[in-house]
Amino acid sequence: MQRLTTSYLQNFAHNIKREYRAYSPSKLNNAYISVIENNTPAYRAARQFGVPLTTLRDRVDGRVSIDTVRSGANPLFSLEQEAKLVDHIKFLAEVGYGYTRSEVIHLANDYAVHLRLRHANNPLSKKWIRGFYSKWPTMHSIQPSSLSAQRARCTTAVCIEKYFKELNRIYVKYDLIDKPWAIYNVDEKGLNTEHKPPKVIAGADLKNVQAITSNRSAAITVLGCGNAAGSCIPPYFVFPGKRMMPDLLSGGSPGADGCVSDSGWSNLDIFENYFVQGRDSSQPILLSYDGHTSHVSLHLIEWAKSENIILFVIPPHTSHLLQPMDVGCFAPFQKLYNRECHSFVKKNGGQVVTRNDVCHLASEAYTQALSHNNIVSAFRKSGVYPLNPDVITERDTAPVSSISRKTSQFLVERGEELLQNVKIAKVCRNISKIKGGRAITEDEVFSTIKAFKDESERNKGKKKQFR
């Protein structure tokens, strides 16, 4: 009796552990197609594809939708309706106006009410979105990166197209298409002695792990430069202060140099001094950079022309897409600098990072971040070299004021409602519009900039007369 009871319980437990369903949804679908399209008897199709006969008959007779692949109540939306919902959610996320988890639930609820699939007094819960994730594994919650509204509005498809067209013209004119070593990009990065600690390993019972950091200081600027062949120029530091002290550059990498300014940021004089160095001017080189006011002067343009340097200004507010240093080098540079500062504090018994330590810590991070592979990859991802406008996709440009997608009218109207206030940056006549996306060393552009500056000076003089 004891043996019989034990054997019975073992068999019962074995049956519980057995898989609930031994067939896949694709087999059920193939069996359904065989019955509907090939007129195969249901019992024969069920035996051929290894699916339950009653399950197949329910689909064939229309009692259960073929889209239903699990037991229980029928899904709220059909696959076609859910596909439209997914397409709409993806589109809004691509253009910078993605839905949160709760907003997706509200959107699906409104969509179901619109389709008369659910009553407004019976809203969807979090249980629905769990099922949604299981059916659409490519959809998941992610942390988006921040993008200022000004950048989003200025990064238009027209602006990007004009930029690459002008860049191609310069490449052809100066025979730079197959000369990556003659194509440079320069940018600046602000650092601080107060670093962000990297992730550390700790026990699961610790809810609030802390890391020792340094006090915040005034910004210290690093000018970085590299070419499309993967070579980098040593870093140039701009420290806040009145007088340059030798200790500020101690421990720097070979060739590292620097100076001081009142704010710690580069200005026009510093930018000119950084560039004005002796070089062989027989071969023209292209130097792209952002068009900040502190980076453009008539004196700098004239010097560049005499040195056979083509100064190419990136369109305003597009450096996150078109500037190689921004695209692939300065983000890892910041992370590596934080890591170097974290290691420095630990190795020196909690000693804080001062501005005298920034040069050797940043130089180590600079050498790793601006490696040959990173620089080459950055020029490729930004489409600068090899010249490739297609790397900037539709999702990177500013959204239009309407949604041109094959979807339901309800979702079209909901998307347009969200995007109706998104406006393209207003076109106005200023120096950024003149120099942005153009080679400012070209005679025509140089003359336009000079005329604009002369007019600005005259207008300033008139304003002073009326004060």
Side-chain angles (χ1 to χ4, degrees), residues 222-225 233-237 253-258 274 359 362-363 366-367:
V222 181
L223 290 171
C225 183
I233 304 298
Y236 189 88
F237 296 88
S253 56
D257 201 357
Y274 175 70
C359 181
S363 293
Y366 184 93
T367 303

Side-chain angles (χ1 to χ4, degrees), residues 230-426:
S231 300
C232 74
I233 304 298
Y236 189 88
F237 296 88
V238 183
F239 296 92
K242 297 291 185 180
R243 185 175 55 164
M244 186 65 186
M245 306 295 291
D247 292 344
L248 293 176
L249 296 176
S250 61
S253 56
D257 201 357
C259 65
V260 294
S261 73
D262 292 339
S263 62
W265 293 101
S266 66
N267 52 42
L268 190 54
D269 293 334
I270 292 173
F271 206 69
E272 288 184 1
N273 292 334
Y274 175 70
F275 283 136
V276 179
Q277 300 175 5
R279 60 172 295 272
D280 180 15
S281 59
S282 59
Q283 167 63 45
I285 66 170
L286 175 71
L287 181 64
S288 64
Y289 63 106
D290 67 76
H292 192 271
T293 305
S294 63
H295 301 164
V296 177
S297 71
L298 297 178
H299 178 267
L300 179 64
I301 298 174
E302 290 174 342
W303 169 83
K305 291 175 67 175
S306 67
E307 294 290 327
N308 210 4
I309 298 176
I310 306 120
L311 297 180
F312 197 98
V313 175
I314 295 172
H317 307 293
T318 60
S319 60
H320 62 294
L321 294 178
L322 305 179
Q323 180 137 278
M325 293 296 106
D326 261 5
V327 170
C329 294
F330 278 175
F333 173 48
Q334 181 69 63
K335 291 181 180 179
L336 289 167
Y337 172 74
N338 290 336
R339 189 180 303 169
E340 291 293 329
C341 291
H342 183 71
S343 299
F344 176 84
V345 172
K346 287 199 303 179
K347 290 178 181 178
N348 292 275
Q351 178 184 337
V352 298
V353 177
T354 67
R355 68 174 193 163
N356 290 345
D357 303 311
V358 170
C359 181
H360 76 267
L361 295 175
S363 293
E364 181 65 28
Y366 184 93
T367 303
Q368 297 179 57
L370 273 72
S371 64
H372 174 272
N373 291 338
N374 278 4
I375 296 176
V376 171
S377 176
F379 273 87
R380 183 177 66 251
K381 288 181 179 180
S382 58
V384 175
Y385 192 89
L387 191 65
N388 182 17
D390 295 333
V391 299
I392 311 300
T393 60
E394 288 184 7
R395 76 175 67 182
D396 297 319
T397 56
V400 294
S401 58
S402 62
I403 299 180
S404 56
R405 292 290 184 96
K406 293 181 178 179
T407 184
S408 73
Q409 184 61 31
F410 169 81
L411 295 177
V412 170
E413 292 175 355
R414 179 59 61 89
E416 289 181 343
E417 180 182 343
L418 289 173
L419 298 180
Q420 63 182 351
N421 294 325
V422 178
K423 300 177 182 179
I424 305 302
K426 182 176 64 176

